[in-house]
Amino acid sequence: NNELRQLALDEEQEVRRILRSLTADVAALREHIIRSVECLACLDSFFARAAWADAVRAVEPLFRSDRRCKLRQARHPLLLGDAQRQVVPLDIELGDPNGVLIITGPNTGGKTVALKTVGLLHAMALAGIPIAAAADSSVIAIDDLYLDIGDEQSIEQNLSTFSAHCRQIEFILSHATPDSLVLLDEIGAGTEPNEGAALAIAVLDELRSRGAPVVASTHHNPV
């Protein structure tokens, strides 16, 4: 029994010696391995983008520096994975002299999806990913993308729906420039309609005066 126990300990020590030796060999090639993995990841990314673009007939958009955007037959990428879902393409042009596009309409009419489509396609284009749109589509060559979409209410941070929107809008107004794209969903919502509309108009006027391209949705008639 003692001899068996000693042999087991000897075997364990030999295994550890071999593993240490192999680890040292791998460590000596650490930089080469890291570079190889990075190259493989880069190639895999390129092939994945190409495969996805081929599957959904995505295109490479034109980048424009004049803060104008034209999306033809644009589709939200997440809606393309369901073969049973009929996706309604979106046509949007942004960049007229006012630089602000207001979307209105009934609830469940697709306003939020339209905003997300515009933002996501810009982010994809900047990341070098083809976008799900027609071949003559163009996007704005932006430096930043700012958005206020969804309900950021937080009990933990003592934020109501309206105060959460105000905090996000304050951040946007502190950072937005003519080279930013701003997306605002249900701007001015969450408070008394007249006050909300007045606030929304003031925010949009300020962003317009800066020359920042803006797409916003609202139910307020004054906006």
Side-chain angles (χ1 to χ4, degrees), residues 76-123:
H76 193 295
L78 293 182
L79 299 179
L80 302 177
D82 185 356
Q84 305 300 320
R85 186 194 299 267
Q86 183 176 358
V87 180
V88 179
L90 175 70
D91 290 344
I92 276 189
E93 286 193 33
L94 177 64
D96 59 19
N98 292 324
V100 176
L101 175 65
I102 303 296
I103 302 175
T104 189
N107 289 325
T108 70
K111 299 187 299 297
T112 301
V113 173
L115 289 179
K116 291 181 177 180
T117 300
V118 173
L120 186 54
L121 294 191
H122 273 81

mmCIF file of all heavy atoms in Angstrom, residues 76-123:
data_model
loop_
_atom_site.group_PDB
_atom_site.id
_atom_site.type_symbol
_atom_site.label_atom_id
_atom_site.label_comp_id
_atom_site.label_asym_id
_atom_site.label_seq_id
_atom_site.Cartn_x
_atom_site.Cartn_y
_atom_site.Cartn_z
ATOM 1 N N HIS A 76 -34.845 46.562 -40.284
ATOM 2 C CA HIS A 76 -34.168 46.316 -39.008
ATOM 3 C C HIS A 76 -33.580 44.908 -39.038
ATOM 4 O O HIS A 76 -34.300 43.930 -39.281
ATOM 5 C CB HIS A 76 -35.165 46.455 -37.855
ATOM 6 C CG HIS A 76 -34.518 46.526 -36.511
ATOM 7 N ND1 HIS A 76 -33.806 45.480 -35.970
ATOM 8 C CD2 HIS A 76 -34.457 47.530 -35.599
ATOM 9 C CE1 HIS A 76 -33.357 45.819 -34.778
ATOM 10 N NE2 HIS A 76 -33.734 47.063 -34.542
ATOM 11 N N PRO A 77 -32.272 44.762 -38.782
ATOM 12 C CA PRO A 77 -31.627 43.435 -38.898
ATOM 13 C C PRO A 77 -32.268 42.349 -38.044
ATOM 14 O O PRO A 77 -32.330 41.187 -38.465
ATOM 15 C CB PRO A 77 -30.187 43.714 -38.455
ATOM 16 C CG PRO A 77 -29.979 45.156 -38.739
ATOM 17 C CD PRO A 77 -31.295 45.817 -38.486
ATOM 18 N N LEU A 78 -32.753 42.718 -36.849
ATOM 19 C CA LEU A 78 -33.323 41.692 -35.969
ATOM 20 C C LEU A 78 -34.642 41.150 -36.489
ATOM 21 O O LEU A 78 -35.084 40.073 -36.066
ATOM 22 C CB LEU A 78 -33.511 42.260 -34.562
ATOM 23 C CG LEU A 78 -32.235 42.594 -33.795
ATOM 24 C CD1 LEU A 78 -32.563 43.096 -32.399
ATOM 25 C CD2 LEU A 78 -31.308 41.389 -33.710
ATOM 26 N N LEU A 79 -35.286 41.878 -37.390
ATOM 27 C CA LEU A 79 -36.550 41.409 -37.943
ATOM 28 C C LEU A 79 -36.339 40.454 -39.112
ATOM 29 O O LEU A 79 -37.293 39.845 -39.590
ATOM 30 C CB LEU A 79 -37.400 42.591 -38.411
ATOM 31 C CG LEU A 79 -37.812 43.604 -37.341
ATOM 32 C CD1 LEU A 79 -38.622 44.729 -37.960
ATOM 33 C CD2 LEU A 79 -38.595 42.922 -36.225
ATOM 34 N N LEU A 80 -35.091 40.327 -39.570
ATOM 35 C CA LEU A 80 -34.828 39.509 -40.752
ATOM 36 C C LEU A 80 -34.600 38.046 -40.416
ATOM 37 O O LEU A 80 -34.568 37.211 -41.302
ATOM 38 C CB LEU A 80 -33.594 40.057 -41.492
ATOM 39 C CG LEU A 80 -33.698 41.515 -41.946
ATOM 40 C CD1 LEU A 80 -32.402 41.952 -42.601
ATOM 41 C CD2 LEU A 80 -34.865 41.705 -42.897
ATOM 42 N N GLY A 81 -34.430 37.739 -39.127
ATOM 43 C CA GLY A 81 -34.163 36.354 -38.754
ATOM 44 C C GLY A 81 -35.384 35.484 -38.696
ATOM 45 O O GLY A 81 -35.284 34.257 -38.619
ATOM 46 N N ASP A 82 -36.567 36.091 -38.727
ATOM 47 C CA ASP A 82 -37.820 35.327 -38.649
ATOM 48 C C ASP A 82 -38.428 35.237 -40.047
ATOM 49 O O ASP A 82 -38.950 36.208 -40.584
ATOM 50 C CB ASP A 82 -38.790 36.021 -37.690
ATOM 51 C CG ASP A 82 -40.058 35.208 -37.466
ATOM 52 O OD1 ASP A 82 -40.201 34.151 -38.117
ATOM 53 O OD2 ASP A 82 -40.899 35.631 -36.655
ATOM 54 N N ALA A 83 -38.349 34.048 -40.626
ATOM 55 C CA ALA A 83 -38.844 33.866 -41.998
ATOM 56 C C ALA A 83 -40.352 34.042 -42.082
ATOM 57 O O ALA A 83 -40.894 34.330 -43.157
ATOM 58 C CB ALA A 83 -38.448 32.488 -42.513
ATOM 59 N N GLN A 84 -41.055 33.864 -40.952
ATOM 60 C CA GLN A 84 -42.506 33.985 -40.952
ATOM 61 C C GLN A 84 -42.977 35.434 -40.852
ATOM 62 O O GLN A 84 -44.134 35.729 -41.095
ATOM 63 C CB GLN A 84 -43.089 33.179 -39.775
ATOM 64 C CG GLN A 84 -42.673 31.719 -39.751
ATOM 65 C CD GLN A 84 -43.099 30.976 -41.006
ATOM 66 O OE1 GLN A 84 -44.196 31.183 -41.505
ATOM 67 N NE2 GLN A 84 -42.224 30.121 -41.522
ATOM 68 N N ARG A 85 -42.060 36.340 -40.478
ATOM 69 C CA ARG A 85 -42.438 37.736 -40.281
ATOM 70 C C ARG A 85 -42.288 38.518 -41.588
ATOM 71 O O ARG A 85 -41.266 38.418 -42.269
ATOM 72 C CB ARG A 85 -41.563 38.376 -39.206
ATOM 73 C CG ARG A 85 -41.992 39.800 -38.839
ATOM 74 C CD ARG A 85 -40.897 40.494 -38.042
ATOM 75 N NE ARG A 85 -40.611 39.791 -36.802
ATOM 76 C CZ ARG A 85 -41.179 40.065 -35.649
ATOM 77 N NH1 ARG A 85 -42.080 41.038 -35.587
ATOM 78 N NH2 ARG A 85 -40.865 39.399 -34.562
ATOM 79 N N GLN A 86 -43.306 39.254 -41.939
ATOM 80 C CA GLN A 86 -43.246 40.097 -43.130
ATOM 81 C C GLN A 86 -42.740 41.476 -42.716
ATOM 82 O O GLN A 86 -43.414 42.214 -42.002
ATOM 83 C CB GLN A 86 -44.611 40.221 -43.792
ATOM 84 C CG GLN A 86 -44.586 41.037 -45.083
ATOM 85 C CD GLN A 86 -45.936 41.074 -45.772
ATOM 86 O OE1 GLN A 86 -46.879 40.459 -45.304
ATOM 87 N NE2 GLN A 86 -46.019 41.788 -46.873
ATOM 88 N N VAL A 87 -41.536 41.810 -43.168
ATOM 89 C CA VAL A 87 -40.907 43.072 -42.795
ATOM 90 C C VAL A 87 -41.309 44.157 -43.788
ATOM 91 O O VAL A 87 -41.193 43.982 -45.001
ATOM 92 C CB VAL A 87 -39.366 42.931 -42.770
ATOM 93 C CG1 VAL A 87 -38.723 44.253 -42.384
ATOM 94 C CG2 VAL A 87 -38.955 41.831 -41.800
ATOM 95 N N VAL A 88 -41.797 45.276 -43.256
ATOM 96 C CA VAL A 88 -42.158 46.419 -44.093
ATOM 97 C C VAL A 88 -40.936 47.323 -44.206
ATOM 98 O O VAL A 88 -40.490 47.882 -43.208
ATOM 99 C CB VAL A 88 -43.346 47.203 -43.494
ATOM 100 C CG1 VAL A 88 -43.682 48.402 -44.379
ATOM 101 C CG2 VAL A 88 -44.553 46.287 -43.342
ATOM 102 N N PRO A 89 -40.360 47.482 -45.404
ATOM 103 C CA PRO A 89 -39.160 48.317 -45.553
ATOM 104 C C PRO A 89 -39.449 49.780 -45.229
ATOM 105 O O PRO A 89 -40.590 50.249 -45.281
ATOM 106 C CB PRO A 89 -38.787 48.141 -47.032
ATOM 107 C CG PRO A 89 -39.501 46.910 -47.474
ATOM 108 C CD PRO A 89 -40.759 46.854 -46.667
ATOM 109 N N LEU A 90 -38.393 50.492 -44.895
ATOM 110 C CA LEU A 90 -38.496 51.880 -44.448
ATOM 111 C C LEU A 90 -37.717 52.791 -45.390
ATOM 112 O O LEU A 90 -36.573 52.490 -45.745
ATOM 113 C CB LEU A 90 -37.942 51.992 -43.028
ATOM 114 C CG LEU A 90 -37.849 53.367 -42.396
ATOM 115 C CD1 LEU A 90 -39.242 53.881 -42.086
ATOM 116 C CD2 LEU A 90 -37.020 53.295 -41.123
ATOM 117 N N ASP A 91 -38.322 53.875 -45.811
ATOM 118 C CA ASP A 91 -37.649 54.904 -46.601
ATOM 119 C C ASP A 91 -37.558 56.176 -45.765
ATOM 120 O O ASP A 91 -38.591 56.691 -45.313
ATOM 121 C CB ASP A 91 -38.407 55.213 -47.894
ATOM 122 C CG ASP A 91 -38.323 54.072 -48.897
ATOM 123 O OD1 ASP A 91 -37.446 53.202 -48.722
ATOM 124 O OD2 ASP A 91 -39.129 54.049 -49.839
ATOM 125 N N ILE A 92 -36.341 56.661 -45.552
ATOM 126 C CA ILE A 92 -36.144 57.864 -44.740
ATOM 127 C C ILE A 92 -35.093 58.748 -45.394
ATOM 128 O O ILE A 92 -34.047 58.252 -45.839
ATOM 129 C CB ILE A 92 -35.713 57.510 -43.301
ATOM 130 C CG1 ILE A 92 -36.941 57.210 -42.442
ATOM 131 C CG2 ILE A 92 -34.917 58.627 -42.664
ATOM 132 C CD1 ILE A 92 -36.651 57.066 -40.974
ATOM 133 N N GLU A 93 -35.364 60.045 -45.427
ATOM 134 C CA GLU A 93 -34.368 61.022 -45.851
ATOM 135 C C GLU A 93 -34.211 62.040 -44.739
ATOM 136 O O GLU A 93 -35.190 62.554 -44.211
ATOM 137 C CB GLU A 93 -34.796 61.724 -47.150
ATOM 138 C CG GLU A 93 -34.665 60.838 -48.378
ATOM 139 C CD GLU A 93 -34.779 61.612 -49.675
ATOM 140 O OE1 GLU A 93 -34.344 62.786 -49.694
ATOM 141 O OE2 GLU A 93 -35.308 61.055 -50.644
ATOM 142 N N LEU A 94 -32.978 62.307 -44.379
ATOM 143 C CA LEU A 94 -32.672 63.250 -43.306
ATOM 144 C C LEU A 94 -31.605 64.212 -43.796
ATOM 145 O O LEU A 94 -30.658 63.804 -44.464
ATOM 146 C CB LEU A 94 -32.174 62.494 -42.064
ATOM 147 C CG LEU A 94 -31.751 63.323 -40.859
ATOM 148 C CD1 LEU A 94 -32.945 64.098 -40.308
ATOM 149 C CD2 LEU A 94 -31.162 62.425 -39.778
ATOM 150 N N GLY A 95 -31.771 65.486 -43.441
ATOM 151 C CA GLY A 95 -30.745 66.442 -43.819
ATOM 152 C C GLY A 95 -31.271 67.589 -44.648
ATOM 153 O O GLY A 95 -30.527 68.200 -45.403
ATOM 154 N N ASP A 96 -32.570 67.889 -44.521
ATOM 155 C CA ASP A 96 -33.089 69.073 -45.196
ATOM 156 C C ASP A 96 -32.555 70.308 -44.465
ATOM 157 O O ASP A 96 -31.830 70.183 -43.475
ATOM 158 C CB ASP A 96 -34.620 69.049 -45.215
ATOM 159 C CG ASP A 96 -35.223 68.995 -43.825
ATOM 160 O OD1 ASP A 96 -34.507 69.329 -42.870
ATOM 161 O OD2 ASP A 96 -36.393 68.630 -43.682
ATOM 162 N N PRO A 97 -32.887 71.521 -44.901
ATOM 163 C CA PRO A 97 -32.332 72.711 -44.243
ATOM 164 C C PRO A 97 -32.571 72.766 -42.736
ATOM 165 O O PRO A 97 -31.786 73.357 -42.007
ATOM 166 C CB PRO A 97 -33.060 73.858 -44.965
ATOM 167 C CG PRO A 97 -33.355 73.315 -46.316
ATOM 168 C CD PRO A 97 -33.659 71.860 -46.108
ATOM 169 N N ASN A 98 -33.664 72.160 -42.260
ATOM 170 C CA ASN A 98 -33.920 72.176 -40.823
ATOM 171 C C ASN A 98 -33.128 71.108 -40.074
ATOM 172 O O ASN A 98 -32.805 71.270 -38.918
ATOM 173 C CB ASN A 98 -35.414 71.984 -40.553
ATOM 174 C CG ASN A 98 -36.235 73.178 -41.013
ATOM 175 O OD1 ASN A 98 -35.778 74.299 -40.912
ATOM 176 N ND2 ASN A 98 -37.417 72.919 -41.532
ATOM 177 N N GLY A 99 -32.843 70.007 -40.742
ATOM 178 C CA GLY A 99 -32.030 68.971 -40.118
ATOM 179 C C GLY A 99 -32.740 68.159 -39.056
ATOM 180 O O GLY A 99 -32.104 67.380 -38.356
ATOM 181 N N VAL A 100 -34.057 68.347 -38.893
ATOM 182 C CA VAL A 100 -34.813 67.619 -37.876
ATOM 183 C C VAL A 100 -35.980 66.903 -38.545
ATOM 184 O O VAL A 100 -36.745 67.525 -39.279
ATOM 185 C CB VAL A 100 -35.341 68.565 -36.780
ATOM 186 C CG1 VAL A 100 -36.202 67.800 -35.787
ATOM 187 C CG2 VAL A 100 -34.185 69.243 -36.054
ATOM 188 N N LEU A 101 -36.094 65.608 -38.305
ATOM 189 C CA LEU A 101 -37.194 64.818 -38.848
ATOM 190 C C LEU A 101 -38.083 64.373 -37.697
ATOM 191 O O LEU A 101 -37.607 63.739 -36.749
ATOM 192 C CB LEU A 101 -36.660 63.600 -39.601
ATOM 193 C CG LEU A 101 -37.707 62.609 -40.136
ATOM 194 C CD1 LEU A 101 -38.578 63.271 -41.195
ATOM 195 C CD2 LEU A 101 -37.024 61.369 -40.708
ATOM 196 N N ILE A 102 -39.368 64.718 -37.770
ATOM 197 C CA ILE A 102 -40.322 64.353 -36.731
ATOM 198 C C ILE A 102 -41.230 63.243 -37.259
ATOM 199 O O ILE A 102 -41.802 63.363 -38.339
ATOM 200 C CB ILE A 102 -41.196 65.551 -36.317
ATOM 201 C CG1 ILE A 102 -40.323 66.720 -35.848
ATOM 202 C CG2 ILE A 102 -42.173 65.155 -35.217
ATOM 203 C CD1 ILE A 102 -39.526 66.434 -34.614
ATOM 204 N N ILE A 103 -41.355 62.170 -36.488
ATOM 205 C CA ILE A 103 -42.219 61.045 -36.844
ATOM 206 C C ILE A 103 -43.370 61.001 -35.851
ATOM 207 O O ILE A 103 -43.152 61.039 -34.631
ATOM 208 C CB ILE A 103 -41.458 59.710 -36.805
ATOM 209 C CG1 ILE A 103 -40.251 59.748 -37.747
ATOM 210 C CG2 ILE A 103 -42.369 58.552 -37.165
ATOM 211 C CD1 ILE A 103 -39.386 58.500 -37.666
ATOM 212 N N THR A 104 -44.590 60.929 -36.360
ATOM 213 C CA THR A 104 -45.744 60.808 -35.486
ATOM 214 C C THR A 104 -46.668 59.729 -36.027
ATOM 215 O O THR A 104 -46.458 59.217 -37.133
ATOM 216 C CB THR A 104 -46.497 62.141 -35.363
ATOM 217 O OG1 THR A 104 -47.486 62.030 -34.339
ATOM 218 C CG2 THR A 104 -47.154 62.522 -36.681
ATOM 219 N N GLY A 105 -47.668 59.383 -35.251
ATOM 220 C CA GLY A 105 -48.584 58.323 -35.659
ATOM 221 C C GLY A 105 -49.090 57.561 -34.453
ATOM 222 O O GLY A 105 -48.689 57.827 -33.315
ATOM 223 N N PRO A 106 -49.987 56.594 -34.644
ATOM 224 C CA PRO A 106 -50.586 55.862 -33.531
ATOM 225 C C PRO A 106 -49.576 54.940 -32.848
ATOM 226 O O PRO A 106 -48.521 54.624 -33.393
ATOM 227 C CB PRO A 106 -51.700 55.049 -34.206
ATOM 228 C CG PRO A 106 -51.200 54.843 -35.603
ATOM 229 C CD PRO A 106 -50.467 56.106 -35.950
ATOM 230 N N ASN A 107 -49.951 54.526 -31.636
ATOM 231 C CA ASN A 107 -49.129 53.536 -30.933
ATOM 232 C C ASN A 107 -49.087 52.240 -31.737
ATOM 233 O O ASN A 107 -50.045 51.913 -32.447
ATOM 234 C CB ASN A 107 -49.696 53.261 -29.536
ATOM 235 C CG ASN A 107 -49.482 54.435 -28.597
ATOM 236 O OD1 ASN A 107 -48.466 55.124 -28.675
ATOM 237 N ND2 ASN A 107 -50.446 54.668 -27.722
ATOM 238 N N THR A 108 -47.996 51.496 -31.587
ATOM 239 C CA THR A 108 -47.729 50.250 -32.318
ATOM 240 C C THR A 108 -47.657 50.485 -33.829
ATOM 241 O O THR A 108 -47.840 49.565 -34.612
ATOM 242 C CB THR A 108 -48.792 49.153 -32.023
ATOM 243 O OG1 THR A 108 -50.031 49.517 -32.625
ATOM 244 C CG2 THR A 108 -48.963 48.961 -30.532
ATOM 245 N N GLY A 109 -47.401 51.737 -34.227
ATOM 246 C CA GLY A 109 -47.312 52.042 -35.653
ATOM 247 C C GLY A 109 -45.912 51.905 -36.226
ATOM 248 O O GLY A 109 -45.735 52.046 -37.433
ATOM 249 N N GLY A 110 -44.934 51.647 -35.367
ATOM 250 C CA GLY A 110 -43.581 51.416 -35.857
ATOM 251 C C GLY A 110 -42.632 52.594 -35.703
ATOM 252 O O GLY A 110 -41.540 52.585 -36.276
ATOM 253 N N LYS A 111 -43.011 53.610 -34.914
ATOM 254 C CA LYS A 111 -42.150 54.791 -34.756
ATOM 255 C C LYS A 111 -40.817 54.421 -34.095
ATOM 256 O O LYS A 111 -39.750 54.821 -34.565
ATOM 257 C CB LYS A 111 -42.867 55.866 -33.933
ATOM 258 C CG LYS A 111 -44.151 56.385 -34.551
ATOM 259 C CD LYS A 111 -44.724 57.558 -33.770
ATOM 260 C CE LYS A 111 -45.073 57.202 -32.337
ATOM 261 N NZ LYS A 111 -46.140 56.165 -32.248
ATOM 262 N N THR A 112 -40.894 53.672 -33.010
ATOM 263 C CA THR A 112 -39.672 53.311 -32.283
ATOM 264 C C THR A 112 -38.781 52.404 -33.131
ATOM 265 O O THR A 112 -37.556 52.559 -33.144
ATOM 266 C CB THR A 112 -40.022 52.626 -30.952
ATOM 267 O OG1 THR A 112 -40.825 53.512 -30.168
ATOM 268 C CG2 THR A 112 -38.762 52.280 -30.181
ATOM 269 N N VAL A 113 -39.388 51.468 -33.839
ATOM 270 C CA VAL A 113 -38.603 50.591 -34.712
ATOM 271 C C VAL A 113 -37.910 51.403 -35.798
ATOM 272 O O VAL A 113 -36.754 51.128 -36.164
ATOM 273 C CB VAL A 113 -39.497 49.502 -35.335
ATOM 274 C CG1 VAL A 113 -38.725 48.700 -36.375
ATOM 275 C CG2 VAL A 113 -40.030 48.574 -34.253
ATOM 276 N N ALA A 114 -38.584 52.428 -36.296
ATOM 277 C CA ALA A 114 -37.975 53.284 -37.313
ATOM 278 C C ALA A 114 -36.741 53.990 -36.752
ATOM 279 O O ALA A 114 -35.689 54.044 -37.403
ATOM 280 C CB ALA A 114 -38.987 54.312 -37.821
ATOM 281 N N LEU A 115 -36.859 54.534 -35.535
ATOM 282 C CA LEU A 115 -35.714 55.188 -34.903
ATOM 283 C C LEU A 115 -34.559 54.208 -34.700
ATOM 284 O O LEU A 115 -33.404 54.519 -34.990
ATOM 285 C CB LEU A 115 -36.124 55.778 -33.552
ATOM 286 C CG LEU A 115 -37.036 57.005 -33.545
ATOM 287 C CD1 LEU A 115 -37.356 57.416 -32.126
ATOM 288 C CD2 LEU A 115 -36.383 58.157 -34.281
ATOM 289 N N LYS A 116 -34.887 53.020 -34.199
ATOM 290 C CA LYS A 116 -33.847 52.023 -33.959
ATOM 291 C C LYS A 116 -33.194 51.573 -35.259
ATOM 292 O O LYS A 116 -31.989 51.301 -35.302
ATOM 293 C CB LYS A 116 -34.440 50.815 -33.217
ATOM 294 C CG LYS A 116 -34.843 51.123 -31.785
ATOM 295 C CD LYS A 116 -35.399 49.887 -31.095
ATOM 296 C CE LYS A 116 -35.743 50.171 -29.638
ATOM 297 N NZ LYS A 116 -36.288 48.969 -28.944
ATOM 298 N N THR A 117 -33.977 51.490 -36.314
ATOM 299 C CA THR A 117 -33.430 51.092 -37.610
ATOM 300 C C THR A 117 -32.411 52.114 -38.097
ATOM 301 O O THR A 117 -31.314 51.766 -38.533
ATOM 302 C CB THR A 117 -34.548 50.932 -38.652
ATOM 303 O OG1 THR A 117 -35.472 49.934 -38.202
ATOM 304 C CG2 THR A 117 -33.991 50.526 -40.000
ATOM 305 N N VAL A 118 -32.757 53.398 -37.996
ATOM 306 C CA VAL A 118 -31.838 54.457 -38.416
ATOM 307 C C VAL A 118 -30.540 54.398 -37.611
ATOM 308 O O VAL A 118 -29.426 54.449 -38.156
ATOM 309 C CB VAL A 118 -32.496 55.845 -38.270
ATOM 310 C CG1 VAL A 118 -31.483 56.956 -38.535
ATOM 311 C CG2 VAL A 118 -33.674 55.977 -39.218
ATOM 312 N N GLY A 119 -30.665 54.278 -36.295
ATOM 313 C CA GLY A 119 -29.475 54.248 -35.444
ATOM 314 C C GLY A 119 -28.628 53.010 -35.654
ATOM 315 O O GLY A 119 -27.399 53.099 -35.758
ATOM 316 N N LEU A 120 -29.281 51.867 -35.727
ATOM 317 C CA LEU A 120 -28.536 50.617 -35.866
ATOM 318 C C LEU A 120 -27.819 50.531 -37.216
ATOM 319 O O LEU A 120 -26.672 50.087 -37.299
ATOM 320 C CB LEU A 120 -29.474 49.425 -35.694
ATOM 321 C CG LEU A 120 -28.827 48.038 -35.670
ATOM 322 C CD1 LEU A 120 -27.737 47.965 -34.614
ATOM 323 C CD2 LEU A 120 -29.872 46.964 -35.413
ATOM 324 N N LEU A 121 -28.469 50.978 -38.282
ATOM 325 C CA LEU A 121 -27.824 50.927 -39.594
ATOM 326 C C LEU A 121 -26.627 51.866 -39.652
ATOM 327 O O LEU A 121 -25.612 51.559 -40.295
ATOM 328 C CB LEU A 121 -28.829 51.272 -40.695
ATOM 329 C CG LEU A 121 -29.979 50.273 -40.898
ATOM 330 C CD1 LEU A 121 -30.742 50.581 -42.179
ATOM 331 C CD2 LEU A 121 -29.488 48.836 -40.919
ATOM 332 N N HIS A 122 -26.700 53.011 -38.981
ATOM 333 C CA HIS A 122 -25.535 53.896 -38.916
ATOM 334 C C HIS A 122 -24.398 53.234 -38.134
ATOM 335 O O HIS A 122 -23.235 53.280 -38.546
ATOM 336 C CB HIS A 122 -25.906 55.224 -38.264
ATOM 337 C CG HIS A 122 -26.440 56.239 -39.222
ATOM 338 N ND1 HIS A 122 -27.753 56.246 -39.649
ATOM 339 C CD2 HIS A 122 -25.824 57.286 -39.856
ATOM 340 C CE1 HIS A 122 -27.929 57.256 -40.488
ATOM 341 N NE2 HIS A 122 -26.787 57.896 -40.633
ATOM 342 N N ALA A 123 -24.739 52.618 -36.998
ATOM 343 C CA ALA A 123 -23.705 51.950 -36.198
ATOM 344 C C ALA A 123 -23.067 50.802 -36.969
ATOM 345 O O ALA A 123 -21.849 50.598 -36.920
ATOM 346 C CB ALA A 123 -24.314 51.444 -34.883
#
